[in-house]
């Protein structure tokens, strides 16, 4: 049975909107995520940074500390509200936009995204990478973090069901990519 990707992506955005109050809990509960956040100081950030799917700005502050500016983009106004309160830096601008439809108005020295690539349906992966490439200034770098290939899905969208504290359930895209194939 074919999955309606547009409906699945709309449900994924609804999930992250509803999850905004719960979003940061995973960072508090998981030591491995806290260790990853500490590594952000070592990222080869250069110039202006574009951060896709910034969420509640777990990574934005570390990026802003080393960048000329950060443009943080997310589809959820609820997480952007938390992000703006968390990182009220004058060199950070946040925008509400669906990453699959938004096009960067300029080029950046660095494009960063954390735990987002696994939410990109395989059929849209090429277009997503084209958006990243179009956003990069000559010599720019794309930096990303995501989960590994414990269950690599290649051909079809893998729909994962997530439950929130209130018991509501949402389907999201979850595709764990093989790093060697991404290279």
């Amino acid at each position: 049975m074919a999955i309606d990707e547009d409906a699945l992506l709309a449900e994924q955005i609804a999930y992250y909107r509803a999850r905004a109050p719960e979003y940061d809990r995973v960072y508090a509960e998981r030591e491995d995520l806290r260790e990853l956040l500490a590594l952000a100081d070592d990222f080869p950030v250069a110039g202006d940074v574009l951060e896709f799917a910034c969420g509640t700005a777990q990574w934005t502050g570390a990026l802003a500390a080393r960048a000329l500016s950060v443009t943080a983009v997310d589809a959820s106004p609820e997480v952007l509200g938390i992000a703006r309160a968390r990182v009220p830096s004058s060199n950070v601008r946040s925008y509400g936009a669906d990453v699959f439809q938004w096009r960067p108005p300029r080029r950046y020295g660095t494009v960063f995204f954390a735990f987002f690539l696994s939410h990109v349906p395989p059929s849209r992966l090429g277009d997503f990478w084209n958006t990243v490439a179009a956003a990069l200034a000559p010599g720019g770098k794309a930096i990303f973090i995501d989960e590994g290939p414990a269950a690599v899905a290649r051909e079809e969208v893998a729909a994962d069901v997530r439950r929130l504290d209130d018991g509501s359930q949402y389907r999201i895209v979850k595709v764990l990519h093989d790093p060697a194939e991404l290279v």
Side-chain angles (χ1 to χ4, degrees):
M1 182 169 142
I3 293 176
D4 179 345
E5 283 185 5
D6 290 332
L8 182 58
L9 289 170
E11 192 169 337
Q12 179 169 272
I13 291 170
Y15 166 72
Y16 280 102
R17 292 186 71 180
R19 183 180 171 210
E22 303 172 23
Y23 190 91
D24 291 330
R25 184 181 314 142
V26 69
Y27 285 91
E29 293 173 349
R30 290 184 46 192
E31 183 176 346
D32 61 329
L33 291 178
R34 291 190 303 278
E35 290 171 0
L36 272 176
L37 282 169
L39 295 176
D41 291 336
D42 297 328
F43 292 164
V45 172
D48 297 311
V49 174
L50 172 60
E51 182 182 12
F52 280 132
C54 67
T56 60
Q58 286 287 341
W59 303 89
T60 311
L63 297 168
R66 301 185 37 243
L68 293 175
S69 71
V70 176
T71 300
V73 178
D74 201 287
S76 167
E78 293 80 2
V79 296
L80 283 174
I82 295 167
R84 289 179 183 122
R86 173 173 279 142
V87 184
S89 177
S90 62
N91 70 334
V92 176
R93 299 282 182 264
S94 57
Y95 296 95
D98 180 343
V99 171
F100 296 112
Q101 296 178 15
W102 185 77
R103 294 297 169 253
R106 57 189 284 273
R107 293 180 169 239
Y108 299 84
T110 306
V111 174
F112 174 81
F113 43 98
F115 302 103
F116 180 69
L117 192 62
S118 58
H119 294 312
V120 177
S123 68
R124 296 181 190 211
L125 194 58
D127 287 342
F128 175 71
W129 282 119
N130 287 337
T131 299
V132 170
L136 285 171
K141 295 183 185 318
I143 303 169
F144 64 96
I145 297 167
D146 214 314
E147 296 169 287
V152 176
R154 291 192 170 91
E155 297 301 322
E156 294 185 30
V157 173
D160 188 13
V161 176
R162 301 285 172 97
R163 183 183 306 271
L164 297 177
D165 288 349
D166 67 5
S168 61
Q169 294 186 104
Y170 298 83
R171 293 175 312 140
I172 65 163
V173 174
K174 196 64 177 177
V175 179
L176 302 175
H177 298 280
D178 182 333
E181 289 182 13
L182 291 174
V183 172

